[in-house]
Amino acid sequence: MRKLIIISLLAICQLCVYAQERQVSWDRYSLMIDGKRVVPVMGEIHYSRLPETEWKTEIQKMKEGGVTIIATYIFWNHVEETEGIFNWSGQRNLRHFIELCQEQDIPVVLRLGPFCHGEVRNGGIPDWLFNKECKMRTEDKTFLFYVERLYRQIFTQVQGLQWKDGGPVIACQFDNEYRGHGSYLMSLKKIAQNIGYELPFYTRTGWPELRTPVPFGEMLPLYGDYADGFWDKEIKEGAGNYWKAFHFKAFRSSTAIGTDLLGKQEEKIGKGDEDYPYFTCELGGGMVTSYHRRVYMYPLDALSMAVVKLGSGSNLLGYYMYHGGTNPEGITTLNETQRTLGTANNDMPVKSYEFQAPLGEFGQINPTYYTLRPLHLFMQDFGEWLAPMEAFFPCADKEAVKHDDSYLRWSYRTDGKSGFVFVNNYERFANLTPKKNVQFDVCGIQFPSKPITIPASCVAIFPVNVEGITYATAQLIAKRDGKIYLMQVKGVPTEMKIGRKIFKNLKPKGLLKPVYENIYLLSEEEAQHLFLEKQQEPTLEDVKFNKIADTGTQRQIVKGPAKVAEAPSDDDFRQAAVYQIDVPTNGKGLMEIHYQGDCARLYANGKLIADNFYNGRCFYYGLWRLPEGVQKLELRILPMQNNVPIYFPKEADTTIGERVVAMKHIIYP
C-alpha cells in the first residue's frame, strides 16, 4: 500500500508517514515516532571514508555512544569519478552500509548533494562536470540532467530500504550551504520524488539565508555551530565568531560557519523558519586541521556547545563529525585544496580526515566520546519530557560579548510545571572564573537551599519537578528498569529535594546502592560508562624505527591563490627527513607516531597511506589496514620553519626542525 501523507500548513505543521505501523511526524517542537516525542542524537560518519570491513564495528560504537540517527554524505566524485562509470563496490557500497545501520536499528539521513563540501575535492562534484559548460548548483538543464542521473544511481542503493518499506532511511538533505534561490532546492526535491524517494521528511542546511525561500513545510532547515574553524584565514588563537556558540541565545543559526565560502553573515533567519523544530546537523564534534590553521580541540568544546544548544531550544543534536575517516583511493587525490576547481580555499590532508571527533579516523575512542555520553543518555530517556518545553533566557538583557566573565550563563526550559536548568561556565580560550552566590528560580522553586558556587568550566543540566525529584544539583542521566540515575557535577555540592525532604552533600554510591529509594548517584566516570560492558585495557609496546635520511633543501612556505599558506607537494616531500619503521610482528593494532615538525606522510611500498598536519597531537595509523606482507613503513617529516603564515596551537612544539619523539603500538584485546 502507498503511504498516507498528510501535510497541514497551519500554525503547527505536521507531516505524517505510516510505514509498517511506524509513524514519523514533526511539529514546531520536535520529531515524533509512533506519537512519542524524541530528541535524537545524530552522528555524522562518511561511509566511503572507512573500509567496508570496519563499518559494522564502528556503527555499533556510535550506537553505544548514544547516537540514535546516523547521517552520511554521498560524495558524487567518490562514486562517479569517471563520467558514466559508477562504483558502488567496497567502501563505496552504500547499500551495504545502510543495511548494517538497519541491523543496528539506527535510522539514516542521506545527504545527497550534488554539492556536499565535506572538505572533499570540489565539494564532491566530479572534475569532468566542469567541462560541460553548465552552471553548477543552479536550475541549468544540463546540470540537472547529471544530477538526476546521480540521484537515480543513489536510488538503486536505497530502493527497498526507505522508511516506508521498513528500512532505516528516514530523510535526505538536498545540496549544502546553499545561498541561492529556493526554487533550485525544490527542483532537486522534485527530481528525487519523481525517481521514487518517498521519505517522512526532507532537510536543507539553514545557513546561509536563501535569496528566495522554499515553500513552508517542504524542507526542514537544520543548523550548526563550531567551536573553531580550520577555514578561518586569520592565523591567531580565538579567531572568528565561534565564541558565540557558548552563549545561550534564541537565534538558531551561526555567523561563523564557512566564512571562507560565505563571507560575513548577519544574525538573520528566514521568515517562517522558527515555525519549524529547532534541529542541528553540524554541531562540531571536533575539527579537522587545514594546512594554514591547525586547530586543537578539547572535549568541553563539544559538550558545552551541545548543552547550550539544548538549553536554547534545540531538539536534535547532529554532530559533524562524530567519526573521522580517510579519503579513499581515486584517479586523482580526493581532498580539497586551494587549486581544485571548486571550494578552492583550504589545503587539506590528502588522506586523513581525522576530525578530533568522539571516534577517530581509525575508530579510536577519544575522550569526547565519554564526555558526551551522559548527555546522550539523558536525551534518549528524558527527551519526551524536554521536547515540548519552551526555552527561557534569564540573561537575555545582557549583550553577548566575547570572553565576558561578569555573570553566569544559564537558561531553562519548562512546560510550566517541570523544567531543566542548563548551566554553562565554559568558553573556549576564555578561562571563565567560578561564579559565587548562585541560586536558580524555576517553576516557582528556588534552589538549592543556600547559594552555591558554580566552578570554572562547569557544564551541567539540573532537573526541576521531574520523576518525583523536586530539584537536584546533579545531572539527570537515565531511567531504566525503574531506576533513576544522576551524575554528580564536579565541584558542585549535590543537593536533592524529594517531597519535603532535602538531602544535602550527597556522595556517589555507584550502581550498588541508591542514595534514596530507586535513585542512584554516580560519579562522572561511572556515568560516562553506564550500561557499557567493561573492556580490558589494551597493551602498549614500543615500535622500532631509525632515521635513514636527513632533511634536504627546504621550500619557502608561501600563500597560495586563496591567500593562505600552501601545503607541500609530492616533490617537497622528496626533501623530507626519512624514518624507516619496523611493522610490529603482531601488526594489527593502532600505531601512535609522536613527532614534531611541520607535517608528515606515511608510505607502504612507496604508496602514500596516511598524512598529518602537525598540531601537537600524535599521528595515528591502523596497522590492520596494511596490505599483507608489509614489514617496513616509511615516515617522511618536513621540518618546522620560522615565521610561517600558519596558526599553531599552544600544544604544538614549534621548535625549528623535526624529530620523532616515540612510536607506540596499541594492541586491543
Side-chain angles (χ1 to χ4, degrees):
M1 292 177 62
R2 292 186 60 83
K3 307 298 172 282
L4 172 64
I5 303 179
I6 304 173
I7 303 178
S8 174
L9 300 180
L10 301 172
I12 296 178
C13 174
Q14 281 193 336
L15 181 154
C16 302
V17 176
Y18 296 89
Q20 295 190 352
E21 299 182 356
R22 299 183 305 166
Q23 178 186 345
V24 176
S25 59
W26 58 267
D27 61 14
R28 74 180 187 91
Y29 293 108
S30 71
L31 280 180
M32 289 169 281
I33 297 180
D34 292 335
K36 179 181 177 181
R37 292 194 180 276
V38 294
V39 180
V41 177
M42 187 165 73
E44 185 97 10
I45 178 175
H46 297 155
Y47 75 98
S48 58
R49 278 175 157 156
L50 265 75
E52 185 180 17
T53 54
E54 297 175 22
W55 289 345
K56 185 173 183 177
T57 299
E58 301 312 304
I59 292 168
Q60 179 64 35
K61 285 182 192 173
M62 292 179 72
K63 184 175 183 179
E64 290 176 349
V67 170
T68 54
I69 296 177
I70 278 177
T72 189
Y73 276 138
I74 303 167
F75 296 115
W76 192 349
N77 57 7
H78 283 197
V79 297
E80 195 190 5
E81 194 174 7
T82 299
E83 182 181 356
I85 301 175
F86 285 87
N87 181 3
W88 297 107
S89 64
Q91 71 187 82
R92 293 166 168 84
N93 188 343
L94 175 61
R95 187 172 191 85
H96 185 209
F97 179 79
I98 296 172
E99 288 170 343
L100 290 174
C101 292
Q102 183 175 30
E103 287 179 13
Q104 298 285 349
D105 197 26
I106 298 182
V108 177
V109 173
L110 299 177
R111 303 177 82 182
L112 300 179
F115 174 83
C116 293
H117 202 182
E119 293 66 68
V120 167
R121 183 185 184 95
N122 308 331
I125 296 177
D127 286 21
W128 55 262
L129 192 56
F130 289 85
N131 297 321
K132 296 295 182 182
E133 297 183 356
C134 60
K135 194 170 182 181
M136 304 297 171
R137 303 174 70 193
T138 69
E139 294 169 86
D140 180 290
K141 290 182 179 179
T142 301
F143 179 70
L144 292 182
F145 168 82
Y146 289 106
V147 171
E148 180 174 354
R149 192 173 69 176
L150 169 69
Y151 279 14
R152 286 189 182 280
Q153 276 287 323
I154 296 173
F155 191 70
T156 66
Q157 304 293 299
V158 173
Q159 194 168 17
L161 294 173
Q162 296 186 89
W163 193 262
K164 70 184 182 67
D165 305 312
V169 180
I170 196 170
C172 68
Q173 174 185 304
F174 299 113
D175 210 86
N176 189 62
E177 297 172 353
Y178 175 74
R179 66 168 110 187
H181 296 284
S183 58
Y184 163 67
L185 297 177
M186 287 303 299
S187 292
L188 297 180
K189 181 176 180 180
K190 183 178 179 181
I191 288 170
Q193 289 183 316
N194 287 343
I195 290 169
Y197 294 85
E198 188 180 337
L199 300 166
F201 60 98
Y202 305 87
T203 71
R204 64 173 178 88
T205 45
W207 73 92
E209 184 187 15
L210 294 172
R211 288 197 185 104
T212 57
V214 297
F216 184 77
E218 296 286 352
M219 299 175 196
L220 276 64
L222 272 60
Y223 300 93
D225 246 322
Y226 290 92
D228 211 326
F230 69 81
W231 51 80
D232 242 286
K233 297 196 176 188
E234 291 188 59
I235 54 170
K236 64 181 182 180
E237 180 177 279
N241 288 331
Y242 307 100
W243 58 270
K244 291 184 178 181
F246 300 96
H247 287 262
F248 296 98
K249 60 184 186 295
F251 177 64
R252 298 182 177 190
S253 197
S254 168
T255 58
I257 296 178
T259 51
D260 59 325
L261 289 173
L262 307 172
K264 185 178 180 181
Q265 301 166 69
E266 297 180 6
E267 290 197 359
K268 190 176 179 182
I269 198 165
K271 184 179 179 181
D273 281 359
E274 290 185 340
D275 291 325
Y276 290 106
Y278 181 8
F279 293 164
T280 71
C281 59
E282 289 194 21
L283 188 64
M287 182 54 60
V288 72
T289 57
S290 61
Y291 185 72
H292 75 278
R293 190 165 175 80
R294 317 284 182 88
V295 293
Y296 187 108
M297 307 304 294
Y298 312 101
L300 271 180
D301 293 338
L303 177 65
S304 174
M305 286 194 302
V307 169
V308 166
K309 278 286 177 283
L310 278 184
S312 297
S314 181
N315 279 333
L316 183 151
L317 297 184
Y319 294 101
Y320 189 101
M321 298 286 293
Y322 192 86
H323 199 304
T326 307
N327 291 328
E329 288 295 308
I331 298 169
T332 61
T333 57
L334 290 169
N335 57 314
E336 175 185 336
T337 78
Q338 294 182 65
R339 296 185 182 274
T340 46
L341 295 169
T343 65
N345 288 278
N346 307 283
D347 286 345
M348 311 305 295
V350 173
K351 300 296 293 181
S352 175
Y353 198 62
E354 172 53 63
F355 215 84
Q356 304 174 74
L359 293 171
E361 179 178 0
F362 300 97
Q364 65 270 30
I365 298 177
N366 292 323
T368 308
Y369 181 90
Y370 294 112
T371 301
L372 290 172
R373 196 169 172 276
L375 176 66
H376 298 168
L377 294 176
F378 163 77
M379 291 166 66
Q380 286 183 35
D381 289 8
F382 297 98
E384 193 169 15
W385 286 71
L386 178 66
M389 293 181 174
E390 300 282 0
F392 294 88
F393 306 94
C395 306
D397 60 328
K398 299 181 184 294
E399 182 182 357
V401 176
K402 186 176 183 178
H403 297 351
D404 189 352
D405 195 28
S406 63
Y407 64 97
L408 177 65
R409 302 171 191 184
W410 70 287
S411 72
Y412 65 94
R413 291 179 61 178
T414 181
D415 58 9
K417 298 178 181 179
S418 302
F420 296 95
V421 171
F422 299 81
V423 175
N424 178 48
N425 198 23
Y426 174 85
E427 182 184 317
R428 180 172 167 85
F429 301 137
N431 298 316
L432 301 183
T433 58
K435 304 299 182 294
K436 299 178 180 179
N437 299 315
V438 174
Q439 279 184 306
F440 305 100
D441 195 336
V442 176
C443 299
I445 298 170
Q446 189 178 71
F447 74 98
S449 56
K450 292 183 179 179
I452 59 173
T453 295
I454 298 295
S457 299
C458 178
V459 182
I461 305 173
F462 300 137
V464 179
N465 279 341
V466 177
E467 293 290 356
I469 300 172
T470 307
Y471 68 78
T473 55
Q475 186 159 325
L476 201 57
I477 300 300
K479 181 181 179 181
R480 308 283 171 93
D481 301 322
K483 298 177 180 178
I484 298 171
Y485 301 91
L486 295 101
M487 177 179 71
Q488 186 176 56
V489 178
K490 283 186 178 179
V492 176
T494 299
E495 180 174 302
M496 181 170 63
K497 183 177 182 181
I498 299 177
R500 295 182 179 180
K501 294 182 179 179
I502 297 178
F503 304 86
K504 297 183 178 181
N505 295 313
L506 291 170
K507 304 299 179 186
K509 294 183 179 180
L511 298 173
L512 298 179
K513 188 176 181 181
V515 291
Y516 178 80
E517 293 184 351
N518 63 334
I519 299 174
Y520 293 77
L521 182 63
L522 310 179
S523 68
E524 185 178 272
E525 183 177 2
E526 289 170 331
Q528 290 176 349
H529 292 81
L530 185 62
F531 310 133
L532 290 179
E533 293 184 10
K534 188 173 182 180
Q535 301 292 321
Q536 292 182 347
E537 291 295 320
T539 57
L540 197 67
E541 62 180 31
D542 292 332
V543 175
K544 294 179 181 179
F545 65 93
N546 65 297
K547 191 173 188 178
I548 60 175
D550 291 324
T551 304
T553 303
Q554 288 305 293
R555 70 181 184 121
Q556 181 182 0
I557 298 175
V558 297
K559 293 184 179 181
K563 299 181 180 180
V564 295
E566 191 158 27
S569 66
D570 294 345
D571 286 341
D572 293 323
F573 270 96
R574 294 188 180 98
Q575 300 297 319
V578 182
Y579 293 79
Q580 189 176 75
I581 303 169
D582 293 338
V583 175
T585 305
N586 179 17
K588 298 299 181 185
L590 185 69
M591 185 169 67
E592 284 185 346
I593 302 171
H594 298 263
Y595 81 101
Q596 182 267 334
D598 176 28
C599 52
R601 287 184 175 182
L602 190 65
Y603 297 83
N605 296 333
K607 180 181 179 181
L608 176 65
I609 58 173
D611 54 347
N612 179 268
F613 293 161
Y614 173 72
N615 73 336
R617 296 191 184 277
C618 64
F619 178 8
Y620 289 104
Y621 185 75
L623 293 171
W624 57 84
R625 293 187 184 177
L626 286 175
E628 284 293 329
V630 174
Q631 296 180 345
K632 302 283 185 182
L633 298 175
E634 185 178 279
L635 175 69
R636 290 181 172 263
I637 305 175
L638 289 173
M640 188 74 69
Q641 298 185 39
N642 196 19
N643 296 321
V644 293
I646 296 173
Y647 164 67
F648 289 99
K650 60 181 180 293
E651 288 80 7
D653 179 354
T654 55
T655 305
I656 306 306
E658 58 75 27
R659 64 193 175 104
V660 172
V661 179
M663 291 194 196
K664 302 290 183 181
H665 181 214
I666 305 172
I667 307 170
Y668 296 97

